[in-house]
Each structure stands twice: as structure tokens, then as C-alpha cells.
Amino acid sequence: MSDKDDDDNVGYGRPPKGSRFKPGQSGNPKGRPKGQRNFRTDVQEILNAAVRVKERGEARTLTSQQAALYRLREKALNGDTRSLNRLLDLAAQFNGQALVHDSEAELPDDDQAILEQYLSSGRSQARGNARTEEDKDGRIGPDEESENE
């Protein structure tokens, strides 16, 4: 086949020669202008921007991200529970550790047994309720289908 034959073939993925993009022509001419920044770039720049903070009476230069973490730490240490929870969540996320709340860790044996019994009865009850709802709707459940076959 010659180049002339390729130009004449029109179909999926082969538009007519006259309507093809010219070399250097964009398919989206009014798209994002060159040099236009996206949100990710702006966030990275702001978090990496240097700020001056005073720590123990001395001025230090930190990134905005570091300063925000220092501020979060200070609020957590001063008794702000939301800041403490957020700081612990970040520590668990980036240190690869799972946090265990004290209330879950120190459950007495009797309470643990009651909880396990409740959870196991709740699961079996949920299965039973699902079957009775199917019966009320008049639909055949999976157990009944096998019996009818």
C-alpha cells in the first residue's frame, strides 16, 4: 500500500486527511495555559516554604509543614484532646503501628465474655432475620431453592 491509499482509508481512528490535527496543533487549544500551576504544586510549595519560629527563646527556620506539626504537638501536650488524637493517628499512620485504645485493652474477662456472647448472638440473629424477611417478601431463599430442585 502507498501513502495515498492510507489517506483515503477513513474509519475508526483514521479521520479524513483534511480534518486531522496539523503538526504542532493541540487537540485542546483552550486547555490549561502553559505555566499554570495545579493545586498539588501549590500545596507542596506552601508546605515547604520556610517560616521563622521561636523555640525556647531562639529563632529557628522550619518548613511550614514542620511548624504545623510542632504546633499540633504543643496543643496536644497542653491538653487539647483533638490535637492529641490527630497526632497519635499521624504517628500510627507513618510509623506503621496500630493504636489500641486503653478502654479496649483493659476489658475485664467477664465483660469480654459478655461482649463475645453478644456479638455471636447478634450475627446468628442477623442471619435469622434475613431469612424471615425473605419469607415475608415471598421470595425463595437459597436453602429453599436447593430443596425444591
Side-chain angles (χ1 to χ4, degrees), residues 59-92:
R60 285 181 61 186
T61 302
L62 301 172
T63 65
S64 298
Q65 182 173 321
Q66 289 173 324
L69 288 172
Y70 273 106
R71 180 74 174 128
L72 182 63
R73 181 192 69 175
E74 291 303 316
K75 288 177 76 174
L77 292 175
N78 286 332
D80 184 2
T81 56
R82 291 181 68 192
S83 297
L84 179 61
N85 287 337
R86 182 66 181 139
L87 187 62
L88 291 176
D89 288 343
L90 288 170

Side-chain angles (χ1 to χ4, degrees), residues 39-147:
F39 190 70
R40 171 183 272 174
T41 307
D42 288 341
V43 169
Q44 288 175 344
E45 182 178 304
I46 287 173
L47 289 176
N48 290 327
V51 294
R52 297 198 43 88
V53 296
K54 276 195 170 184
E55 187 177 7
R56 296 185 204 121
E58 292 183 24
R60 285 181 61 186
T61 302
L62 301 172
T63 65
S64 298
Q65 182 173 321
Q66 289 173 324
L69 288 172
Y70 273 106
R71 180 74 174 128
L72 182 63
R73 181 192 69 175
E74 291 303 316
K75 288 177 76 174
L77 292 175
N78 286 332
D80 184 2
T81 56
R82 291 181 68 192
S83 297
L84 179 61
N85 287 337
R86 182 66 181 139
L87 187 62
L88 291 176
D89 288 343
L90 288 170
Q93 181 180 354
F94 292 106
N95 290 333
Q97 302 168 354
L99 291 178
V100 177
H101 297 287
D102 291 337
S103 61
E104 293 174 5
E106 298 177 13
L107 199 60
D109 293 337
D110 295 338
D111 292 344
Q112 185 66 34
I114 292 169
L115 182 61
E116 288 173 5
Q117 181 182 6
Y118 172 75
L119 290 175
S120 65
S121 67
R123 288 186 188 123
S124 62
Q125 253 183 353
R127 286 187 206 119
N129 289 343
R131 287 189 180 138
T132 57
E133 288 175 10
E134 287 174 356
D135 295 341
K136 288 177 189 174
D137 292 338
R139 288 186 259 151
I140 298 174
D143 296 335
E144 295 171 347
E145 282 180 344
S146 60
E147 291 174 6

